[in-house]
């Protein structure tokens, strides 16, 4: 008969558990509050695809941060988690496809509201906040504060 083995949790494992909880707060909890603010700014417009994309990115950031936590060996645990979170945030803007998603919240703040979203295709186009097809995906990398700025950059209005 196989005897069940008792899992022995070492102090190092406890420290990693505490640090990973802090990391979750830094890379999932705090950014989710910002995501909620953007959803409120959307004022009832479609937010599901937008939110799911960000939540997936938050989870990926958390997983990358866990790797860093395993490599870092200092205390206190919250500081170790903060260092891992800052490293993940520093790398996110230069990561393909993720960079766009990190720039959108910046433009929401910069513009004082939802920005005009530019998209590349056969010809560069844009959509305005409030339009039915207004959305941000990892493939949108250009944002404008006003329609006038988008037109000045030779973008046309998407009439879909």
């Amino acid at each position: 008969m196989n005897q069940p083995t008792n899992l022995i949790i070492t102090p190092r494992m406890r420290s990693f558990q505490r640090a990973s909880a802090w990391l979750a707060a830094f890379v999932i909890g705090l950014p989710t509050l910002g995501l909620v603010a953007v959803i409120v700014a959307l004022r009832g417009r479609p937010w599901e695809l937008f939110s799911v994309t960000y939540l997936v990115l938050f989870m990926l950031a958390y997983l990358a941060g866990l790797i860093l936590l395993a490599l870092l060996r200092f205390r206190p645990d919250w500081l170790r988690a903060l260092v891992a979170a800052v490293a993940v945030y520093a790398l996110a803007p230069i990561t393909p496809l993720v960079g766009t998603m990190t720039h959108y919240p910046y433009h929401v703040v910069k513009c004082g509201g939802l920005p005009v979203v530019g998209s590349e295709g056969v010809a560069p186009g844009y959509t305005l906040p409030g339009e039915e097809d207004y959305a941000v995906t990892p493939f949108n990398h250009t944002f404008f504060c006003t329609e006038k700025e988008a037109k000045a950059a030779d973008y046309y209005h998407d009439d879909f």
Side-chain angles (χ1 to χ4, degrees):
M1 288 187 178
N2 289 337
Q3 293 286 333
T5 58
N6 291 333
L7 181 63
I8 299 171
I9 298 181
T10 65
R12 182 175 277 176
M13 290 171 73
R14 276 195 180 81
S15 175
F16 184 80
Q17 287 174 336
R18 284 190 303 271
S20 64
W22 278 107
L23 181 68
F26 293 141
V27 299
I28 298 173
L30 292 176
T32 298
L33 294 176
L35 182 59
V36 169
V38 171
I39 290 170
V40 169
L42 286 170
R43 296 187 186 107
R45 284 170 271 182
W47 55 268
E48 293 84 1
L49 177 63
F50 169 79
S51 299
V52 168
T53 304
Y54 272 98
L55 291 174
V56 167
L57 291 175
F58 297 162
M59 292 305 297
L60 291 173
Y62 176 71
L63 293 174
L66 285 176
I67 294 168
L68 292 173
L69 277 183
L71 298 173
L72 298 172
R73 301 272 185 225
F74 61 87
R75 296 213 185 236
D77 297 325
W78 67 268
L79 183 58
R80 188 170 87 183
L82 182 61
V83 168
V86 168
V88 167
Y89 285 136
L91 293 174
I94 60 171
T95 305
L97 300 180
V98 176
T100 295
M101 302 305 284
T102 61
H103 292 135
Y104 180 73
Y106 165 77
H107 281 83
V108 169
V109 173
K110 175 185 171 190
C111 299
L114 299 176
V116 175
V117 177
S119 60
E120 303 295 327
V122 175
Y126 65 87
T127 55
L128 299 169
E131 295 179 338
E132 187 175 322
D133 59 341
Y134 182 84
V136 178
T137 70
F139 302 105
N140 300 110
H141 63 276
T142 307
F143 303 101
F144 305 98
C145 289
T146 65
E147 185 174 16
K148 184 178 177 180
E149 289 176 9
K151 287 180 180 179
D154 291 329
Y155 278 67
Y156 73 95
H157 186 248
D158 288 334
D159 292 321
F160 295 109

